[in-house]
Amino acid sequence: ARGAGGAGPERGSRGGAAMDLFGDLRRMNKRQLYYQVLNFAMIVSSALMIWKGLIVVTGSESPIVVVLSGSMEPAFHRGDLLFLTNFHDDPIRAGEIVVFKVEGRDIPIVHRVIKVHEKGNGNIKFLTKGDNNEVDDRGLYKEGQNWLEKKDVVGRARGFLPYVGMVTIIMNDYPKFKYALLAVMGAYVLLKRES
């Protein structure tokens, strides 16, 4: 009978955590389970409220973005976390770093304004370029578009944290890692008991 149990430790290393998780869930009474689910829902809703609050305070639809490419090196590197504002009264000036969205592209682009064209009626058009790129961004704009306008701007870089956004890049590059991380976090919140 002991010889048959030899495979147990191997299986236990993989399946043991899952069995413990289900065992904990079975031992919880309904009231505890509802409490933990409610606790998890409160954490998620709090995060959403903080995000919406940041949108209102900063005026930007995306107040925090992650740099996904090396086109702005050495100013920003891949994985840097940028903090944005987008107050419409602030004029756009050459040298400023903006995050803009182009029609037909889902992911916003972080580049520097290199030229500003102001008309007498207050209309402003501008041209951007990545610091690490050889040419301006006209090749990235939609076909026939030579300038960006204020409506294209998602935000303007006001600060950054280096490499903090690498977690986001890893989760995008490896979706299985993202789902595993979410599952672990969800299980932790559901099974965490008050001391």
Side-chain angles (χ1 to χ4, degrees):
R2 286 205 155 177
E10 285 180 22
R11 201 175 53 165
S13 62
R14 281 187 239 151
M19 295 304 287
D20 288 346
L21 175 73
F22 291 122
D24 282 351
L25 281 174
R26 266 188 251 119
R27 282 191 291 276
M28 275 186 181
N29 63 36
K30 284 184 181 179
R31 187 175 184 163
Q32 285 176 319
L33 186 61
Y34 291 148
Y35 174 78
Q36 295 303 87
V37 169
L38 185 61
N39 194 20
F40 182 70
M42 287 178 61
I43 290 169
V44 171
S45 62
S46 296
L48 288 172
M49 284 190 294
I50 290 169
W51 182 255
K52 291 294 183 184
L54 281 173
I55 289 172
V56 171
V57 169
T58 62
S60 174
E61 65 186 65
S62 294
I64 300 171
V65 296
V66 175
V67 178
L68 298 176
S69 74
S71 66
M72 278 302 291
E73 290 179 3
F76 299 121
H77 294 84
R78 189 170 192 254
D80 287 356
L81 195 70
L82 299 184
F83 300 100
L84 310 179
T85 62
N86 194 23
F87 303 118
H88 292 286
D89 295 339
D90 291 349
I92 292 175
R93 297 289 175 232
E96 188 173 20
I97 296 169
V98 296
V99 178
F100 61 93
K101 232 175 174 180
V102 177
E103 192 177 310
R105 291 180 179 262
D106 293 333
I107 299 172
I109 300 167
V110 180
H111 281 175
R112 190 180 302 276
V113 176
I114 57 168
K115 288 183 187 175
V116 177
H117 181 67
E118 293 184 58
K119 291 186 177 178
N121 62 2
N123 263 358
I124 295 176
K125 294 187 175 188
F126 55 95
L127 180 64
T128 56
K129 176 186 171 295
D131 290 358
N132 202 21
N133 293 348
E134 296 293 322
V135 296
D136 62 44
D137 290 342
R138 285 192 169 124
L140 298 174
Y141 303 160
K142 75 177 182 180
E143 194 174 332
Q145 183 179 8
N146 291 321
W147 300 87
L148 292 176
E149 297 176 26
K150 269 192 165 184
K151 67 177 176 57
D152 300 313
V153 175
V154 174
R156 304 158 194 216
R158 300 299 184 199
F160 77 102
L161 287 173
Y163 303 111
V164 174
M166 283 308 288
V167 174
T168 303
I169 291 174
I170 291 167
M171 287 195 299
N172 283 337
D173 290 349
Y174 305 101
K176 288 180 182 176
F177 175 76
K178 174 171 58 177
Y179 297 129
L181 186 64
L182 288 171
V184 167
M185 288 171 57
Y188 173 75
V189 170
L190 286 173
L191 297 176
K192 185 184 76 157
R193 293 201 172 99
E194 295 294 321
S195 305

